[in-house]
Amino acid sequence: MKHALLNASLIDYFIVAIYFVFVLGIGFLLKNRMKTGDDFFLSGRSIPTWITSLAFLSANLGTIEVLGMAANGAEYGMLTSHFYWIGAIPAMLFLGLYMMPFYYASRVRSVPEYLKIRYNEATRAVNAITFAVMTVLLSGVSLYSMALILQVLVGWSINTSILISAVVVLIYVGLGGLTSSIFTEVIQFFLIWLGLLLIPILGMHELGGWAGMAHRLPEGFTHLWSNLGSNGENAMGINWLGVVLGLGFVISFGYWTTDFLVVQRAFAAKNMRSAQNTPIYAAFFKMLVPFLVIIPGLIAAVIFPDIGKPDGPSYNLALPLLIERYYPPGYSGARFDRDAGQFHERHGGKCNRIHHGLDI
């Protein structure tokens, strides 16, 4: 792709610069408070519940989820919601009600440290090493996903986007530790929610509400359970047993109750009750996330009927294309780049006309 969907204006770059300066400022302001290991890794166990809850959720709500789940929504429909309502909520509640009392009472600074106390040093080492490898690989994917969005929307190169973002994160985390990460994640929570909220609202309005959208989608695209009788009845190729047992128990409990990246936010809570409430409060907001990422995927499947086809745009472009369609300068870019029309013509056929009106 040689052309970006948008021409970024001065106000766009100004907003990005303000954000970078702001998050770096958080790190510098918190630098003098990082005096002990507990201050750096646990924020001194002094963070209020509402902050740890939002940080707990935002630690998982990154570019992979926002971009990927919108793409899954466009490809598989409402079945993608099971990753939230079955694959997250029960495990998050279990973590708050059952696991956090063990974690918090042991006064550990990480999940691997708890495993050392509960089992032995070998168990801790295996968990720490596997988590470190996973984190490095996942961070690379996250940085690439973010860079892909910037390349598609404003034309920044992949390497430039990754380098700038990695340096900014390294500085504010190195200076302010977990506290810096938590406060930055709270800011990101509001930015993500406010930034994405208009897309499903405007999209549903354009398509005539849920009913107007549903009758334009493939059969079963808006169903949650009725097409899970066998693997061949849905595009995802799964059945209800795989959803309930594989996703609902094995994958979700393995992630939400042991992943240090998210659980550590609850470790920073000011007391036991606050630590327990952290994943429970976060579960409430988690139930609403499909409205922000999956519904836009369904909207994209209607508005861009060639998405995911050999001669159409990738499913990964579902959200960027909607951002380009609905958002004004300062929110997504100055204007639609005429050169990007060449991209639509090369990769979507109808997409160039769809930009000006529905072509279904």
Side-chain angles (χ1 to χ4, degrees), residues 56 60 82-101 103 243-259 262-263 266 275-284 286-287:
F56 185 96
N60 178 255
H82 288 305
F83 282 96
Y84 295 92
W85 297 331
I86 301 296
I89 304 302
M92 293 170 72
L93 297 177
F94 179 83
L95 171 64
L97 296 174
Y98 183 77
M99 292 299 297
M100 280 313 303
Y103 284 148
V243 171
V244 174
L245 297 183
L247 178 61
F249 284 94
V250 178
I251 297 177
S252 66
F253 279 78
Y255 173 77
W256 288 104
T257 63
T258 65
D259 190 282
V262 293
V263 175
Q276 286 188 273
N277 286 336
T278 292
I280 295 174
Y281 290 176
F284 171 78
K286 192 71 173 179
M287 290 189 293

Side-chain angles (χ1 to χ4, degrees), residues 259-272:
D259 190 282
F260 179 38
L261 181 66
V262 293
V263 175
Q264 190 189 26
R265 274 64 186 164
F267 288 176
K270 60 183 180 180
N271 54 48
M272 173 73 78

Side-chain angles (χ1 to χ4, degrees), residues 4-16 150-156 328-337:
L5 293 179
L6 303 168
N7 262 348
S9 66
L10 182 61
I11 187 174
D12 296 295
Y13 289 112
F14 181 69
I15 291 173
V16 172
L150 292 176
Q151 183 189 50
V152 168
L153 289 180
V154 295
W156 290 7
Y331 221 68
S332 65
R335 61 177 176 83
F336 177 65
D337 190 344

Side-chain angles (χ1 to χ4, degrees), residues 105-235:
S106 64
R107 309 298 292 179
V108 297
R109 292 178 294 181
S110 68
V111 173
E113 188 175 349
Y114 174 80
L115 293 177
K116 176 183 178 180
I117 296 174
R118 178 63 178 83
Y119 298 103
N120 52 47
E121 175 62 27
T123 304
R124 182 205 67 81
V126 169
N127 181 265
I129 293 172
T130 55
F131 175 79
V133 172
M134 180 198 72
T135 301
V136 171
L137 296 176
L138 191 60
S139 297
V141 176
S142 298
L143 286 170
Y144 177 79
S145 300
M146 176 222 58
L148 180 63
I149 294 177
L150 292 176
Q151 183 189 50
V152 168
L153 289 180
V154 295
W156 290 7
S157 71
I158 295 289
N159 292 336
T160 299
S161 300
I162 291 177
L163 180 62
I164 293 176
S165 301
V167 169
V168 170
V169 172
L170 178 64
I171 292 175
Y172 78 70
V173 173
L175 293 173
L178 179 62
T179 307
S180 183
S181 296
I182 287 177
F183 280 101
T184 302
E185 286 163 353
V186 171
I187 296 170
Q188 291 171 350
F189 171 86
F190 290 105
L191 290 177
I192 291 172
W193 280 68
L194 293 176
L196 296 180
L197 186 60
L198 286 178
I199 291 179
I201 294 175
L202 295 175
M204 295 288 281
H205 175 74
E206 180 178 0
L207 297 179
W210 179 265
M213 178 184 69
H215 90 267
R216 293 175 171 89
L217 290 168
E219 184 178 357
F221 226 60
T222 57
H223 295 173
L224 281 172
W225 293 101
S226 62
N227 56 352
L228 288 177
S230 67
N231 296 347
E233 294 182 14
N234 57 81

Side-chain angles (χ1 to χ4, degrees), residues 58 65 197 334 345:
S58 295
E65 180 167 5
L197 186 60
E345 292 172 353

